[in-house]
Structures are given as structure tokens and as C-alpha cells.
Amino acid sequence: AQSVTQLGSHVSVSEGALVLLRCNYSSSVPPYLFWYVQYPNQGLQLLLKYTSAATLVKGINGFEAEFKKSETSFHLTKPSAHMSDAAEYFCAVSDPNTGTASKLTFGTGTRLQVTL
Amino acid sequence: NAGVTQTPKFRVLKTGQSMTLLCAQDMNHEYMYWYRQDPGMGLRLIHYSVGEGTTAKGEVPDGYNVSRLKKQNFLLGLESAAPSQTSVYFCASRYRVGGISHEQYFGPGTRLTVT
């Protein structure tokens, strides 16, 4: 069974500082990986996705993530945090072998706080 | 396009009452999903549908039923609400064509409280 671990339920950074949100996955086959962002009282919005093409994936709002098979990781980064980045971030994995339903397994989320 | 919409946005139920949550999408997506979100637990899949007239159980299906009579709608029912079903419920949908790499599109959520 696939699983996702997000280290750190809360991360606080200063505006302009590097953002690093960690995600490790467990899957018996090369997975598809996603990062979603949730702003307060809203639904989830896709930031970026890895689908076995380039290992460095660029997303919206200046975020990017690198797929590292040897470390089973898919960490999310942004060089310079902005106040508007404050939100909850979810990593999710989809096992290609679960059929076309493509069920997602989510991590427990990381709340990002950005301070002045 | 409105994308994925959910009705209602908020609801308070008493234990034992029933209700139906409606999800609608106008993107002609084949696949639809219902999740619940609880603090510290991420999102967990309740039920899903791979097409009109079909439904399947997800990770936490007990106490819920679903129906997909029309392609654009996916209904989630609680026959006898329990306090453990207090949660935020999200609906999502996805294309089938193009392979399973396509992301899911989420609605704004329904906040349900059962007292």
C-alpha cells in the first residue's frame, strides 16, 4: 500500500526566506506525485505534479519540487517566501497500478506560516 | 465554467438526522470523488465513481452512501448522522482521457457539524 509522510505539521519562515516542505512516499512502483495548496476556507488547488517526466518540476507561484527516487522524496521548495504563501500544503501520491481510478493518498499536511 | 461546486457550504445536524451533500461539475469529467478532511489526518477517500451509474468504496466508507445518476453530479448521503462524522467534506473530479496523471479538481468544501 502506498503512503505519504510530511515531516513537520507547522513550518514558520520569514518573508524572503527559503521555503522547504518535506514529503516522503512509500510505493511499490514509481508513483505519480502531487503537491496541493489549501488557503483558509477554500478547496485544494494543484501546485505541481510529477508524472515520470523531468525529475525537477516547476509549479505555480514560484514553487518547485524534485523527485528523488533513491530518497523516496518529493520536497517542495520556493526560494523566497511571500506573505501570500501562508496556507496548508498537502503532498499526495497516486499508484499507477491501482487502475484508472487513480486514487490519491494524502499526507497529513504542513501549515506554512510566513512572518515579517 | 464554475468548475466543481458543492451544496451546502455549512450544515449543522443532530445525531440521527439524515442529509445529502451535492457535488456538481461542469467540466465533463468522468471520475468523481468524495473526501473528508479532519485535523491532523489529511484527506481520506470516502467513495468514488468512475462513471455515470457506478460507485465504489474508498478508505472510510462506513456510514455514507453515494449515487451518480448523472455524469455531472455526485451525491453523498448520511442516513443517520453521528458526531464522528463532523468534518469538512470535499468533492473532486478528474478527466479519464489522457491517463491517470491528470490531477483532481476540488470543490470549496462543506463544513458539517453533528451535535
Side-chain angles (χ1 to χ4, degrees):
Chain A
Q2 56 195 7
S3 64
V4 176
T5 301
Q6 290 185 241
L7 293 176
S9 59
H10 289 84
V11 170
S12 182
V13 300
S14 300
E15 190 174 35
L18 171 72
V19 175
L20 170 62
L21 304 182
R22 299 178 185 274
C23 172
N24 288 87
Y25 70 90
S26 172
S27 177
S28 58
V29 297
Y32 295 137
L33 293 158
F34 305 82
W35 275 101
Y36 283 87
V37 60
Q38 183 181 31
Y39 298 103
N41 299 315
Q42 293 187 26
L44 278 70
Q45 177 184 0
L46 182 73
L47 271 180
L48 49 81
K49 61 184 179 183
Y50 167 76
T51 57
S52 74
T55 56
L56 182 62
V57 180
K58 294 187 184 299
I60 62 172
N61 301 338
F63 284 93
E64 63 181 37
E66 186 173 7
F67 173 70
K68 292 187 176 181
K69 183 179 178 181
S70 61
E71 299 177 7
T72 61
S73 69
F74 190 57
H75 301 332
L76 182 71
T77 61
K78 182 174 180 178
S80 177
H82 191 272
M83 296 296 289
S84 61
D85 295 326
E88 188 150 24
Y89 293 79
F90 292 93
C91 182
V93 61
S94 172
D95 183 345
N97 285 343
T98 59
T100 58
S102 184
K103 291 178 284 184
L104 291 177
T105 299
F106 284 86
T108 53
T110 297
R111 186 168 298 279
L112 176 66
Q113 180 183 20
V114 182
T115 59
L116 290 173
Chain B
N1 288 352
V4 181
T5 58
Q6 293 183 233
T7 308
K9 289 184 169 52
F10 303 93
R11 185 71 185 269
V12 178
L13 286 180
K14 295 186 186 300
T15 297
Q17 287 185 322
S18 63
M19 78 164 294
T20 301
L21 282 66
L22 171 63
C23 175
Q25 53 92 6
D26 60 2
M27 296 175 284
N28 203 33
H29 287 172
E30 287 82 6
Y31 296 171
M32 298 187 74
Y33 308 81
W34 275 107
Y35 295 90
R36 60 178 289 172
Q37 183 182 28
D38 302 293
M41 302 188 73
L43 276 77
R44 293 179 293 168
L45 182 64
I46 304 171
H47 286 281
Y48 64 99
S49 169
V50 300
E52 182 178 321
T54 71
T55 62
K57 294 181 180 179
E59 181 185 357
V60 288
D62 294 342
Y64 304 96
N65 57 76
V66 289
S67 64
R68 183 109 181 261
L69 299 180
K70 294 182 178 180
K71 184 177 183 179
Q72 64 268 33
N73 295 337
F74 195 28
L75 279 63
L76 178 71
L78 286 73
E79 290 186 348
S80 180
S84 61
Q85 294 177 304
T86 294
S87 187
V88 181
Y89 291 86
F90 287 99
C91 176
S93 67
R94 186 179 71 80
Y95 288 110
R96 179 182 64 198
V97 176
I100 63 172
S101 62
H102 282 270
E103 66 270 22
Q104 295 181 16
Y105 294 79
F106 284 81
T110 294
R111 187 174 296 275
L112 175 65
T113 301
V114 182
T115 61

